[in-house]
């Protein structure tokens, strides 16, 4: 039969999409657990097969939507989270698996809210998290759909549907979010050199912040950010040449920067000023410990003093009442130049970039 | 691999024989490699003829591979009558990936006017796969990925139907909503300036090529942060001189293409050490049987052969004076991944970033040029 042949073929080679297509055409004649077993076995052989991951998502969506019992769906999805954990223990950078995990999280949220949308996007999840709060969610498009519905059907969630959810549901959604946050923490603690975990964390942080804002037991954003900086500092003190944590550090610097909407609330100019200074001192120490042979330290110092200059200019322009311990603009600019000159010396492969940046500086 | 090794020569003739003997090798009934790659043969053929086209003239490629004869005939046999797209092989379901490869092969063969090509049908297939948010599926089963955005935009341009501002309401010719398409791509931008498969996915050099290429063809490079992304791409260069696809991953020759093409479009090829990269690619050659592998000492395959040769082309390795002296080499276009003469023959449009366009840089000189830093800031 088609099922037997396709099963055999896919176990050996899960890449051909058209064979998975055949199995999907036969879906009325099979069960979820058969498809889950087949995709899991294929993925053990080739954990990066696009076709196998897609088939698994498609089948989960198909069966969960046609199954009326949300407890069964919950069980299925919990097992899928465990599968992700297992696969990520084998290869913590497998982006297919990270994407699959985010698909499952979206599905968990939809199931909790009894909403029939399982496309991998977090629109439902985020609306549910912010239900009843005065806050606008940072963005609905945090995670986009990974599989769509047959053409012609647009999957949108009427806000009223979410409005009717209970507060208990909202707490469950927050627990799902926190579980993801904790998962990234665990992966990072297992191995700092996990850009995939840090990437996910960069997406979760804005949600953690705003959700925490409405929950008085939670840390406020300054404390969260302070401990985030601590986390990355531990990482790059341990392995200064591993670029992973430095990228996340850059994300944190950008995140701290006050914008028009947050400037007068918790992420103030004063907090940003202090964060920049703290990081500058910490990294100057590291660079000294490394005898100046710390490329990423110099890159980050350049970024920090550039942001300091930019902050001072903004504050002066807008007559914002804060003080600066170090406000000598020409001196800061000189420091920026010194960083670039040092980089040309110790990172010659990328010297043209640093030379371009020096030209930009002199043009300012 | 020792540092500072001298560049091995480019094994021009070995690569020619590697490529030309592929078909027979893979089609042999006992070929395992042939069996497991059968589903993507359309892309395999595109990689082999385009790679060969960079180191041989069009006439030579036709003589060696019967491109305009049996290969073109085979491409049309792979058309999927049900969907209007092309499958990876005869009898396979149509898919966005193989539709692009098929059109690219026809472009190289100069057979886009072949009466067997129903352009409107192909365009309909592509436009039917666009979603309300501007994204594209690979086929009707619904997988979404920015790779498919690139395939769609490139294909539509190759078929001469790229019209900015056209909306999906217009019937003739079937078009895509380019505005929505580029804004979807932009929505996949991460804090590091890179792009992933979908919004929320980790930045990856392969996806970055697709997104940068899509925006470049569509003339929408202002939607990305070129400084930030170019820096992230430059940091893919490892000590070996090779490039990786994400932080702390291994170098792989295929990234020579994904990254170098993006850097070419962004005007920042000089932000990496091109000499070291060149050396790395040359070290990945198989000096016995020809072909190029993902890294030195590994087994060659046509995928890495194509990307290695393309990478060398983008590095300017094939300018007259390098390689065999009487060879006619052609350059590769970083937006369409096709020989430059093909792109110019078809009058394809696109956009690149540069401070200056060297008037003798024919490869990019015909595109719309914008300058550095004209980007939209991400709001928090």
């Amino acid at each position: 039969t088609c099922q037997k042949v396709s099963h055999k073929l896919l176990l050996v080679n899960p890449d051909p999409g058209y064979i998975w297509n055949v199995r999907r055409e036969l879906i009325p004649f099979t069960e979820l657990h058969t498809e889950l077993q087949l995709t899991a076995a294929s993925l053990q052989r080739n954990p990066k097969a696009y076709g196998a991951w897609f088939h698994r998502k498609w089948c989960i969506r198909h069966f969960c939507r046609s199954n009326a019992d949300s407890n069964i769906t919950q069980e299925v999805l919990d097992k899928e989270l465990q599968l992700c954990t297992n696969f990520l223990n084998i290869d913590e950078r497998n982006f297919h698996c990270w994407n699959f995990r985010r698909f499952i999280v979206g599905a968990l949220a939809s199931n909790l809210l009894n909403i029939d949308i399982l496309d991998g996007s977090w629109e439902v999840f985020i609306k549910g998290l912010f239900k009843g709060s005065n806050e606008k969610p940072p963005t609905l498009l945090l995670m986009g759909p990974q599989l769509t519905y047959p053409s012609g059907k647009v999957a949108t969630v009427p806000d009223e549907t979410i409005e009717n959810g209970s507060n208990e549901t909202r707490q469950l959604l927050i627990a799902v979010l926190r579980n993801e946050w904790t998962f990234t923490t665990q992966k990072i603690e297992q191995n700092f050199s996990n850009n995939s975990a840090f990437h996910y964390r960069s997406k979760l942080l804005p949600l953690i912040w705003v959700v925490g804002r409405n929950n008085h037991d939670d840390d406020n954003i300054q404390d969260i950010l302070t401990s985030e900086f601590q986390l990355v500092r531990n990482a790059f003190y341990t392995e200064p040449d591993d670029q992973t944590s430095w990228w996340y550090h850059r994300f944190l610097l950008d995140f701290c920067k006050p914008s028009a909407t947050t400037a007068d609330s918790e992420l103030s100019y004063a907090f940003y000023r202090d964060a920049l200074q703290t990081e500058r001192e910490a990294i100057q120490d590291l660079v000294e410990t490394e005898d100046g042979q710390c490329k990423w330290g110099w890159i980050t110092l350049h970024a920090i003093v550039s942001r300091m200059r930019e902050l001072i200019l903004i504050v002066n322009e807008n007559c914002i009442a804060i003080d600066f311990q170090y406000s000598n603009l020409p001196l800061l600019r000189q420091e920026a130049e010194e960083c670039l000159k040092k980089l040309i010396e110790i990172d010659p492969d990328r010297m043209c970039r640093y030379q371009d940046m020096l030209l930009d500086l002199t043009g300012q | 691999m020792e540092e500072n090794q001298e560049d091995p020569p480019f094994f021009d003739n070995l690569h020619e024989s590697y490529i030309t003997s592929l078909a027979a090798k893979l089609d042999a009934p006992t070929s395992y490699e042939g069996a497991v790659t059968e589903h993507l043969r359309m892309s395999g053929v595109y990689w082999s003829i385009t790679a060969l086209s960079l180191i041989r003239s069009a006439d030579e490629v036709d003589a060696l591979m019967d491109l305009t004869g049996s290969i073109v005939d085979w491409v049309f046999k792979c058309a999927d009558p049900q969907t209007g797209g092309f499958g990876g092989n005869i009898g396979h379901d149509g898919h966005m990936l193989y539709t692009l490869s098929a059109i690219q092969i026809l472009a190289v063969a100069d057979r886009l006017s072949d009466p067997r090509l129903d352009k409107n049908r192909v365009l309909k297939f592509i436009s039917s796969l666009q979603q309300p948010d501007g994204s594209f599926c690979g086929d009707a089963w619904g997988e979404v990925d920015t790779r498919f955005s690139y395939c769609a935009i490139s294909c539509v341009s190759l078929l001469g139907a790229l019209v900015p501002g056209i909306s999906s309401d217009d019937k003739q010719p079937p078009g895509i909503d380019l505005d929505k398409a580029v804004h979807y791509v932009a929505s996949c931008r991460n804090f590091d300036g890179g792009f992933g498969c979908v919004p929320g996915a980790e930045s990856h050099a392969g996806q970055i090529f697709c997104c940068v290429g899509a925006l470049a063809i569509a003339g929408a490079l202002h939607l990305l942060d070129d400084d930030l992304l170019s820096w992230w791409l430059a940091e893919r260069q490892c000590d070996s001189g090779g490039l990786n696809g994400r932080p702390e991953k291994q170098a792989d020759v295929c990234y020579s293409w994904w990254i170098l093409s993006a850097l070419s479009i962004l005007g920042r090829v000089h932000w990496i050490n091109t000499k070291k990269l060149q050396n790395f690619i040359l070290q990945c050659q198989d000096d016995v049987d020809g072909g190029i592998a993902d890294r030195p000492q590994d087994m060659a395959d046509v995928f890495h052969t194509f990307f290695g040769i393309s990478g060398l082309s983008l590095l300017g390795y094939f300018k007259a004076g390098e390689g065999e002296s009487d060879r006619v080499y052609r350059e590769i276009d970083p937006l369409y991944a096709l020989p430059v003469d093909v792109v110019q023959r078809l009058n394809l449009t696109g956009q690149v970033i540069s401070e200056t366009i060297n008037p003798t840089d024919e490869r990019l000189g015909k595109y719309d040029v914008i300058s550095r830093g004209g980007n939209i800031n991400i709001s928090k």
Side-chain angles (χ1 to χ4, degrees), chain A residues 21 196 199 243 295 350, chain B residues 93 200 202 234-236 246:
Chain A
N21 293 352
S196 312
H199 161 82
Q243 55 180 259
K295 159 192 162 169
R350 279 160 280 262
Chain B
D93 299 335
E202 185 185 356
E235 295 296 350
R236 297 304 110 240
R246 293 181 281 165

Side-chain angles (χ1 to χ4, degrees), chain A residues 138-185:
Chain A
T139 168
L140 287 177
L141 190 56
L142 203 59
M143 305 297 169
Q146 296 181 33
L147 64 167
T148 61
Y149 291 87
S151 54
K153 178 167 177 181
V154 178
T156 55
V157 187
D159 289 345
E160 312 86 63
T161 321
I162 312 252
E163 280 306 311
N164 294 331
S166 70
N167 193 53
E168 189 198 321
T169 308
R170 188 165 169 270
Q171 293 305 319
L172 288 171
L173 291 173
I174 291 175
V176 169
L177 174 67
R178 292 218 176 103
N179 192 47
E180 293 309 289
W181 180 257
T182 304
F183 182 73
T184 63
T185 311

Side-chain angles (χ1 to χ4, degrees), chain B residues 90-135:
Chain B
I90 297 174
H92 291 200
D93 299 335
H95 193 278
M96 191 70 95
L97 293 171
Y98 308 120
T99 302
L100 175 63
S101 295
I103 298 299
Q104 286 172 316
I105 293 167
L106 294 177
V108 174
D110 195 8
R111 290 294 183 271
L112 284 172
S113 310
D114 190 307
R116 291 171 288 181
L117 179 62
D118 187 344
K119 285 186 183 171
N120 274 348
R121 191 112 201 275
V122 177
L123 287 169
K124 248 183 130 168
F125 169 69
I126 294 170
S127 89
S128 75
L129 294 173
Q130 185 167 32
Q131 300 306 302
D133 64 2
S135 64

Side-chain angles (χ1 to χ4, degrees), chain B residues 58-373:
Chain B
D59 288 339
E60 284 169 323
V61 171
D62 206 10
L64 286 165
M65 310 272 286
D66 193 22
L67 172 58
T68 54
S70 54
I71 290 187
V72 165
D73 289 346
W74 173 83
V75 167
F76 284 114
K77 288 198 187 123
C78 296
D80 176 4
Q82 267 200 330
T83 61
F86 288 83
N89 213 320
I90 297 174
H92 291 200
D93 299 335
H95 193 278
M96 191 70 95
L97 293 171
Y98 308 120
T99 302
L100 175 63
S101 295
I103 298 299
Q104 286 172 316
I105 293 167
L106 294 177
V108 174
D110 195 8
R111 290 294 183 271
L112 284 172
S113 310
D114 190 307
R116 291 171 288 181
L117 179 62
D118 187 344
K119 285 186 183 171
N120 274 348
R121 191 112 201 275
V122 177
L123 287 169
K124 248 183 130 168
F125 169 69
I126 294 170
S127 89
S128 75
L129 294 173
Q130 185 167 32
Q131 300 306 302
D133 64 2
S135 64
F136 285 88
C137 302
D139 60 20
W141 292 105
E143 182 185 7
V144 178
D145 190 309
T146 46
R147 289 176 296 153
F148 310 143
S149 298
Y150 174 77
C151 291
I153 291 174
S154 179
C155 224
V156 168
S157 181
L158 285 164
L159 294 172
L162 197 73
V163 184
I166 204 169
S167 85
S168 38
D169 290 334
D170 293 14
K171 299 290 182 208
Q172 282 294 336
I176 59 173
D177 189 329
L178 196 59
D179 200 55
K180 281 205 172 133
V182 301
H183 281 97
Y184 173 77
V185 167
S187 76
C188 298
R189 216 165 105 186
N190 294 314
F191 77 86
D192 49 27
F195 299 85
C197 311
V198 293
E202 185 185 356
S203 300
H204 180 284
Q207 310 292 148
I208 287 169
F209 162 73
C210 292
C211 291
V212 173
L215 294 178
I217 294 172
L221 287 171
H222 62 281
L223 293 178
L224 54 74
D225 186 336
D226 57 308
D227 252 350
L228 179 59
L229 177 54
S230 299
W231 171 37
W232 191 90
L233 292 170
E235 295 296 350
R236 297 304 110 240
Q237 186 159 40
C238 308
D239 291 338
S240 63
L243 306 176
N244 63 24
R246 293 181 281 165
E248 304 305 323
K249 299 280 276 172
Q250 278 200 301
D252 182 323
V253 146
C254 67
Y255 296 114
S256 311
W257 167 260
W258 305 127
I259 291 174
L260 220 43
S261 53
L263 284 175
S264 296
I265 293 169
L266 300 173
R268 307 298 208 288
V269 170
H270 61 294
W271 280 14
I272 60 167
N273 185 328
T274 51
K275 285 269 168 282
K276 271 172 100 172
L277 176 60
Q278 177 176 294
N279 181 270
F280 178 83
I281 300 173
L282 292 167
Q283 299 282 355
C284 292
Q285 297 176 96
D286 182 328
D287 60 1
V288 175
D289 296 318
I292 299 180
D294 58 351
R295 51 188 70 91
Q297 316 307 325
D298 276 359
M299 245 189 86
D301 60 56
V302 67
F303 175 83
H304 290 94
T305 302
F306 170 59
F307 292 122
I309 293 178
S310 299
L312 289 172
S313 170
L314 285 176
L315 290 172
Y317 182 79
F318 294 119
K319 297 261 191 267
E322 313 271 1
E324 308 268 313
S325 51
D326 55 350
R327 280 293 169 201
V328 178
Y329 289 135
R330 290 187 269 171
E331 293 189 68
I332 191 150
D333 174 270
L335 283 75
Y336 291 94
L338 294 170
V340 170
D341 59 296
V342 173
V343 167
Q344 288 173 353
R345 183 193 351 111
L346 293 169
N347 251 317
L348 300 176
T349 54
Q351 185 187 62
V352 295
I353 293 177
S354 181
E355 294 298 37
T356 61
I357 280 286
N358 184 341
T360 63
D361 187 347
E362 253 202 273
R363 199 183 55 191
L364 301 178
K366 301 224 157 96
Y367 288 134
D368 174 37
V369 179
I370 65 171
S371 49
R372 281 179 59 194

